[in-house]
Amino acid sequence: KQVREETKEEDFMVMLKQEASLEKVLDVSLETRVLLEELAQTNKLNDVIRIQEDFELACREALNEVHVSVITHTAYPADAKKAVEKDLQDNYVDKGKSLVADFSVDPQIIGGRIYCFE
């Protein structure tokens, strides 16, 4: 796995050195390009995901949001989703924070719900 990750970073560096600018290829700002170049040069491109997750967490904290993924066996109608959201907001979310819920379906679940708080 380490060999493949290094190859990805080498491939990325080759792409950076090509004539086409990264801003045009990936539609990113100069600042983003500089960050990606630095991460590639220091063999830390794998940190991009962690950086994104940390940034999203910081934004959620700044907005006083609590995110939860709700996974069910079958799709819930709108009124059932509202009831679940109200229950979660009232019983699991601190006062002053707002709940942001994302519902998805996994038919492998036998019954009930799975909550994934982020």
Side-chain angles (χ1 to χ4, degrees), residues 80-95:
K81 287 181 182 180
K82 291 283 184 204
V84 169
E85 289 173 345
K86 182 177 180 346
D87 178 53
L88 291 171
Q89 180 72 46
D90 293 347
N91 296 302
Y92 298 98
V93 177
D94 293 336
K95 300 291 182 211

Side-chain angles (χ1 to χ4, degrees), residues 10-56:
E10 290 169 7
D11 293 345
F12 184 76
M13 287 304 296
V14 168
M15 186 177 85
L16 288 177
K17 292 176 182 174
Q18 291 176 347
E19 208 167 306
S21 71
L22 185 61
E23 294 96 85
K24 292 179 183 174
V25 174
L26 296 178
D27 191 29
V28 297
S29 67
L30 176 62
E31 294 83 0
T32 301
R33 178 187 173 155
V34 170
L35 172 65
L36 292 173
E37 287 174 346
E38 181 64 29
L39 290 171
Q41 289 173 356
T42 57
N43 294 324
K44 294 183 179 181
L45 274 176
N46 292 332
D47 290 347
V48 169
I49 304 251
R50 184 190 50 77
I51 291 167
Q52 176 193 0
E53 290 169 349
D54 289 350
F55 180 75
E56 287 178 3

Side-chain angles (χ1 to χ4, degrees), residues 52-105:
Q52 176 193 0
E53 290 169 349
D54 289 350
F55 180 75
E56 287 178 3
L57 181 61
C59 288
R60 290 176 186 159
E61 288 176 4
L63 295 170
N64 286 321
E65 292 180 344
V66 174
H67 284 234
V68 62
S69 295
V70 182
I71 307 166
T72 59
H73 174 72
T74 58
Y76 275 25
D79 59 334
K81 287 181 182 180
K82 291 283 184 204
V84 169
E85 289 173 345
K86 182 177 180 346
D87 178 53
L88 291 171
Q89 180 72 46
D90 293 347
N91 296 302
Y92 298 98
V93 177
D94 293 336
K95 300 291 182 211
K97 295 196 176 211
S98 61
L99 178 78
V100 177
D102 173 49
F103 288 81
S104 61
V105 174

